[in-house]
Amino acid sequence: MKLEGALSRRDNRPVGTYCPIERALGVLSTRSAMLVLREAFYGAARFEEFAARADLTDATTSARLRDLVRAGILEK
């Protein structure tokens, strides 16, 4: 399979935490993260909106928002 210009060939070293795909999946792989992200796209801006609209506990909402901000996906 030939991918012209898409990706350059890499060596056999493990990519580990430097892989952007692995890092994104690590943050977005939970149901709650996807629900929080959905609500952000629908315009939620306050903590209470995220928790209520996604039907998540405060602890879960707080953890997911913190993860998404830390990963640079959302901003405070």
Side-chain angles (χ1 to χ4, degrees), residues 60-76:
T60 300
T61 303
S62 178
R64 291 305 80 78
L65 284 169
R66 186 173 41 253
D67 293 343
L68 291 167
V69 169
R70 190 178 298 136
I73 296 169
L74 294 179
E75 292 181 350
K76 277 188 169 185

Side-chain angles (χ1 to χ4, degrees), residues 15-64:
V15 178
T17 59
Y18 299 105
C19 177
I21 295 170
E22 184 176 345
R23 287 193 344 244
L25 286 174
V27 175
L28 298 174
S29 63
T30 65
R31 175 184 173 274
S32 57
M34 293 304 292
L35 293 175
V36 168
L37 197 56
R38 177 194 67 192
E39 294 311 324
F41 282 122
Y42 281 128
R46 302 186 54 79
F47 179 85
E48 295 81 15
E49 292 176 309
F50 284 105
R53 292 161 86 175
D55 195 28
L56 299 171
T57 66
D58 286 354
T60 300
T61 303
S62 178
R64 291 305 80 78

